[in-house]
Amino acid sequence: MTEPTPITIPLINTNEPGALLAALFVSSGQRVSRGDKICTLETTKSTVELSAETDGYIVGLRYTSGETVQAGEILAYLADSADWSPPARPAKAEGQKTSHPADLRISQPALILAQQNYVDLSRFSSEVFVTERLVQEVIDQSARPELELPAGQFDPNAIIVYGGGGHGKALIDLIRMLSTYPIAGIVDDGIAAGASIMGAPVLGGSHILEKLIAAGVHQAANAVGGIGNITNRIIVYDKLATAGFSCPTLVHPTAFVEPSATLSEGVQVMPHAYVGSDAQVGFGAIINTGAIVSHDCNVGEYANLSPGAILAGEVTIGDATLVGMGVTVNLRVKIGSRARIGNGATVKEDVSDGGIVRAGTSWPE
């Protein structure tokens, strides 16, 4: 009997570890041939189909259609026999620390290395897949002195960027174009201190936030977009607030915001976006590149409007809702909190709290 083949969820987008299991074409015990479709995965930016790598039986199917899965997780196994039993999922190690236990994704070798060296797993962001290399960087970093933070020598308007991924790079360019907030550096739980991103130094992980406050840095930009899980973005805001940071509103010079619109603290308006008359945008929301928020719209706290999203007049977007690229929302439609609207969807009627509209579809279907 050949070794069963795991069907592993791929990392589709670097900054989006979670994906919607939009369609599942197999069931437990089903016989499939190489090349047969297994499932369709959707993120806010991509749609991917997984196919069987070999002939076999679907064994140990762990998820159903409509659930959110994380990169690196095993969906099922392809085995020679439908009677084969997959290994049990490893139990969480006693005493293991995580910042968000349900979301932390770590390889088994990385977990063993962390336990052997007493590495606190809470320092890792749930937006990254923790590998042996990342754990080893933390171990190496702890063996050398931390970067010195000169107390009182930072500009009074200095700002940190929390997150060194794609959105972090976009914010670095935005902040530099404003010429208002000198960038003190980047805080990222998954990148070793001393590294450099676009010329900005990585200062360390979230454990240095209080040291930065003491050194005179009091402003922060949250670069964790939360596309895979909006909770990650909210957690960062909580960490920043607890440490004592404020988050200024950031508007790219090429964006246009009508004088009557209201932008709350922490809002980020990216290049060529538009915010219309009497629109209101809540704390920590992102109006991404080329997005249009028409007159009298109300965008909730932490909401993320992806590039090219279009809201007609008087649209309501609930707190912590994700709106994908190229989405169109019709006049006076209300979308609830923590909803997820896939790329290219057209929303013609209200969507309830936690609702999901699949990419490329029209709602109601």
Side-chain angles (χ1 to χ4, degrees):
M1 179 177 179
T2 59
E3 186 72 18
T5 303
I7 303 171
T8 305
I9 304 299
L11 180 61
I12 301 172
N13 297 324
T14 304
N15 296 318
E16 192 171 358
L20 174 68
L21 185 56
L24 187 62
F25 304 110
V26 297
S27 57
S28 289
Q30 179 179 335
R31 172 75 179 179
V32 296
S33 300
R34 181 179 180 179
D36 286 351
K37 287 199 297 186
I38 300 295
C39 67
T40 299
L41 300 170
E42 289 183 359
T43 69
T44 58
K45 297 182 179 181
S46 305
T47 299
V48 170
E49 288 188 345
L50 295 189
S51 301
E53 296 180 5
T54 184
D55 299 346
Y57 292 90
I58 300 294
V59 179
L61 189 60
R62 294 176 172 177
Y63 298 96
T64 59
S65 181
E67 290 190 277
T68 298
V69 293
Q70 299 292 321
E73 293 180 331
I74 294 175
L75 174 67
Y77 291 85
L78 281 171
D80 289 342
S81 170
D83 297 328
W84 179 79
S85 296
R89 298 194 193 190
K92 183 183 293 186
E94 184 177 352
Q96 177 182 341
K97 296 181 180 180
T98 65
S99 57
H100 199 57
D103 288 340
L104 184 71
R105 298 175 300 110
I106 183 169
S107 69
Q108 190 65 20
L111 177 59
I112 293 171
L113 182 62
Q115 291 171 337
Q116 289 174 340
N117 292 272
Y118 305 100
V119 174
D120 182 1
L121 296 180
S122 65
R123 67 187 300 157
F124 292 106
S125 167
S126 54
E127 286 210 336
V128 300
F129 183 74
V130 182
T131 62
E132 276 188 287
R133 180 183 62 81
L134 288 179
V135 174
Q136 188 61 54
E137 286 180 354
V138 170
I139 296 169
D140 293 342
Q141 180 182 336
S142 63
R144 61 178 183 264
E146 291 190 357
L147 295 178
E148 292 292 331
L149 301 176
Q153 295 185 26
F154 285 102
D155 186 289
N157 289 324
I159 192 170
I160 59 166
V161 176
Y162 195 116
H167 190 59
K169 292 179 179 180
L171 284 178
I172 289 171
D173 272 337
L174 187 161
I175 293 168
R176 285 173 174 167
M177 288 194 71
L178 293 178
S179 300
T180 303
Y181 307 102
I183 298 175
I186 297 168
V187 173
D188 194 300
D189 295 300
I191 304 175
S196 177
I197 297 176
M198 295 175 62
V202 177
L203 303 174
S206 57
H207 62 288
I208 69 164
L209 291 177
E210 293 182 0
K211 293 182 180 180
L212 285 164
I213 287 287
V217 183
H218 301 284
Q219 312 237 46
N222 185 352
V224 176
I227 291 296
N229 185 350
I230 198 66
T231 301
N232 298 328
R233 182 167 175 80
I234 298 172
I235 287 173
V236 170
Y237 274 121
D238 288 343
K239 287 181 179 180
L240 293 172
T242 299
F245 286 90
S246 61
C247 299
T249 302
L250 301 173
V251 180
H252 195 277
T254 64
F256 191 89
V257 179
E258 297 288 2
S260 59
T262 302
L263 305 182
S264 299
E265 183 181 8
V267 168
Q268 299 163 2
V269 184
M270 307 306 286
H272 303 293
Y274 173 76
V275 181
S277 303
D278 268 347
Q280 298 184 39
V281 183
F283 176 86
I286 299 175
I287 312 300
N288 225 311
T289 304
I292 296 175
V293 178
S294 298
H295 65 87
D296 298 295
C297 285
N298 192 324
V299 178
E301 295 183 350
Y302 313 112
N304 189 334
L305 272 59
S306 295
I310 300 175
L311 310 185
E314 300 178 45
V315 167
T316 298
I317 303 294
D319 294 345
T321 283
L322 300 171
V323 179
M325 295 189 300
V327 167
T328 301
V329 184
N330 285 13
L331 187 71
R332 300 190 183 91
V333 164
K334 293 180 172 60
I335 297 177
S337 299
R338 291 186 176 269
R340 186 182 179 105
I341 313 299
N343 292 344
T346 299
V347 183
K348 300 178 180 180
E349 293 185 9
D350 294 356
V351 178
S352 61
D353 291 349
I356 295 175
V357 178
R358 291 181 55 191
T361 63
S362 180
W363 176 263
E365 294 181 351

